[in-house]
Amino acid sequence: MKKFGRSIYIIAFLVCMLLTMGAAKVADEQSTEYSTLTVVYGTDKYVYTDKPVVPSDFTVIEQIAARRINAPLSQKIEYMDECIARGADYKTAVKQCFPVLVRELDGISDSVFVPPTDAKTVYEHGVFSVVPEKAGRRINEEKLYASIYCAFKFSGGGEVKATISDIPPIITAEMLRAELYPRSSYTTDFSGSSEERAHNVKLALSKIDGLMIPAGETLSFNDTVGERTEANGFKQAKIIVDGKYIDGTGGGVCQASTAVYNAALIAGLSCAANAHSICPSYCPAGLDAMISSVSDLLITNTTTHSIYIAVKVSGRTATVKVYGEQSQYKIKPESVVLNVEKCAEQEVVDNEYKYFEQGVQSGKRMLVSLGKDGVTSETYINVYKDGQMIKRVKVRENTYRAVPQVIAVAP
């Protein structure tokens, strides 16, 4: 019985809607005037005429009735007022009664919309620079729909102007330029290196050149440079292993990591590095950064802005520069040598004639390798402000082995 009653209601409702549509059609044929609204946006305009919406099914019929979509303008205004009183914004209220209008305006908004472009830092030809930001644009829907509501309520339609507003970018050139203050510079000299070793120094530093470390993040030298293999472009050169110089792939990379380490220290960044077993000649004791498969250089950006690293190689010297936010402090690393153990002299009789030709005068001597003094050192970071040292922090203690000077003696 309930189903039958509902069916009667639906049929009656449909008949009423058909009669309404028929009446609307007759009225249209008699040149009935509908409310019109002209929306001007830029140099274009859109004209909306509030004609009845033809339902496609029963659900649509119910919505049309509930939202007063085909009701007289006075009833639509009354319903929009109710929506606004319940907390709806102007667009939501207008959409209840004028869905076709809102649909068309959404399409216009999409055509006008241009997203903003943030400024960005670029690195070209050894120089960091900033590409300026660009503002986006959009139709200010808050103002537009408030104007539409007022136009319908107080004038029955008319003309409204859509305000096109700029959308500011999040990242500006001014913000990025503040990150490009020169914080440090460190130069290393590898003029005494073989061609192979010099190649490795340059190759490793090329992997660091142009890098950016976001605030709070850590750079791993090993991860950035990659394995020191021939497949990765590295060549055979002398490396330090267990207190001895031996041939190995990637010799010279530690000088590159040491240059990066010192530049980072001077820039005031947090660094974690390990020392070699013997003190290298290219930096003071306690300021080296040994790199191997089990030893890494880690640099953490403890500032509030991004850090940028640039490398310039000129002949057999390389300069590492670090850029970031300007700091009121100046950092000076200090190596303090506590003890020096003089290297011994070791004589090796060249019975296998590895160094002399046979027939050479017995007892002739030849320097095979230079020795290296053993060193015990401490490393400090001295912090200055306005020319006065305000802090001195010990960051490392290192003991380097002594390596004997080897003299070959002819048998």
Side-chain angles (χ1 to χ4, degrees):
M1 189 67 181
K2 289 182 179 180
K3 289 183 178 179
F4 179 74
R6 179 173 173 78
S7 298
I8 293 295
Y9 168 76
I10 292 172
I11 292 171
F13 195 87
L14 286 170
V15 169
C16 290
M17 287 302 300
L18 290 172
L19 290 173
T20 301
M21 290 167 58
K25 184 177 180 181
V26 170
D28 187 51
E29 291 172 351
Q30 295 176 351
S31 301
T32 300
E33 291 188 4
Y34 295 102
S35 297
T36 61
L37 180 78
T38 300
V39 179
V40 179
Y41 57 102
T43 58
D44 297 317
K45 63 175 58 177
Y46 164 67
V47 179
Y48 168 77
T49 302
D50 187 30
K51 293 183 178 180
V53 174
V54 178
S56 57
D57 55 36
F58 178 73
T59 302
V60 175
I61 292 173
E62 284 187 325
Q63 282 292 310
I64 288 174
R67 293 164 54 182
R68 307 181 194 179
I69 292 172
N70 285 344
L73 181 60
S74 59
Q75 293 184 26
K76 291 184 177 185
I77 293 170
E78 183 180 281
Y79 187 64
M80 286 193 294
D81 286 340
E82 292 176 7
C83 293
I84 292 170
R86 290 196 297 267
D89 56 36
Y90 286 112
K91 181 177 181 179
T92 301
V94 171
K95 188 176 183 179
Q96 295 301 308
C97 301
F98 302 93
V100 175
L101 170 61
V102 174
R103 182 187 67 200
E104 294 299 318
L105 291 180
D106 281 345
I108 291 171
S109 291
D110 290 341
S111 69
V112 171
F113 176 75
V114 175
T117 303
D118 286 338
K120 64 179 180 179
T121 302
V122 296
Y123 186 67
E124 294 179 334
H125 310 299
V127 177
F128 287 104
S129 59
V130 175
V131 177
E133 72 280 8
K134 291 183 180 178
R137 66 177 186 179
R138 68 176 180 88
I139 288 179
N140 189 321
E141 290 193 341
E142 296 82 1
K143 289 184 178 180
L144 174 60
Y145 283 99
S147 299
I148 290 173
Y149 165 78
C150 292
F152 278 131
K153 181 169 184 176
F154 300 112
S155 304
E159 182 176 287
V160 296
K161 185 174 182 179
T163 302
I164 297 178
S165 302
D166 286 341
I167 308 174
I170 297 174
I171 301 173
T172 66
E174 183 180 2
M175 295 165 59
L176 294 184
R177 290 191 184 102
E179 297 179 344
L180 294 178
Y181 182 83
R183 290 177 68 98
S184 70
S185 178
Y186 183 87
T187 299
T188 190
D189 187 329
F190 48 97
S191 56
S193 298
S194 65
E195 289 295 329
E196 293 78 12
R197 188 178 184 281
H199 166 85
N200 292 338
V201 174
K202 294 176 184 179
L203 178 58
L205 288 174
S206 71
K207 309 282 188 178
I208 302 295
D209 186 28
L211 279 185
M212 183 268 285
I213 311 174
E217 295 195 12
T218 299
L219 168 73
S220 161
F221 188 92
N222 274 340
D223 290 348
T224 304
V225 173
E227 292 185 61
R228 274 69 69 188
T229 63
E230 291 183 2
N232 284 340
F234 291 96
K235 297 182 178 182
Q236 290 279 321
K238 294 294 183 182
I239 61 175
I240 301 173
V241 176
D242 196 25
K244 297 179 180 179
Y245 286 100
I246 65 172
D247 288 327
T249 306
V253 170
C254 289
Q255 186 166 356
S257 60
T258 294
V260 175
Y261 173 59
N262 279 269
L265 284 178
I266 298 169
L269 305 181
S270 175
C271 302
N274 297 309
H276 292 81
S277 52
I278 61 178
C279 190
S281 59
Y282 48 75
C283 71
L287 287 171
D288 55 327
M290 192 257 296
I291 294 297
S292 70
S293 59
V294 294
S295 179
D296 200 0
L297 165 63
L298 302 176
I299 299 172
T300 300
N301 179 5
T302 51
T303 74
T304 58
H305 290 75
S306 295
I307 285 290
Y308 301 88
I309 303 175
V311 179
K312 183 178 181 180
V313 177
S314 179
R316 290 296 185 90
T317 63
T319 300
V320 180
K321 293 185 177 182
V322 177
Y323 300 87
E325 64 181 340
Q326 186 172 6
S327 174
Q328 60 182 322
Y329 304 106
K330 297 294 182 184
I331 310 297
K332 292 184 180 180
E334 178 189 2
S335 170
V336 178
V337 175
L338 303 178
N339 183 58
V340 176
E341 178 189 351
K342 289 296 183 180
C343 66
E345 185 176 289
Q346 179 181 350
E347 291 187 354
V348 177
V349 178
D350 190 18
N351 292 315
E352 297 180 359
Y353 290 97
K354 296 169 69 174
Y355 306 106
F356 295 100
E357 294 182 359
Q358 291 191 12
V360 72
Q361 181 181 356
S362 177
K364 188 174 182 178
R365 297 164 62 86
M366 178 188 296
L367 177 63
V368 173
S369 65
L370 292 171
K372 194 77 174 177
D373 292 340
V375 176
T376 301
S377 69
E378 294 178 343
T379 305
Y380 292 86
I381 294 296
N382 297 325
V383 183
Y384 294 82
K385 182 179 180 182
D386 300 328
Q388 299 295 319
M389 188 169 71
I390 61 171
K391 187 188 299 185
R392 188 170 190 257
V393 181
K394 184 167 72 173
V395 293
R396 285 172 59 171
E397 294 180 1
N398 295 116
T399 299
Y400 301 91
R401 300 181 191 176
V403 177
Q405 179 172 278
V406 179
I407 304 293
V409 181

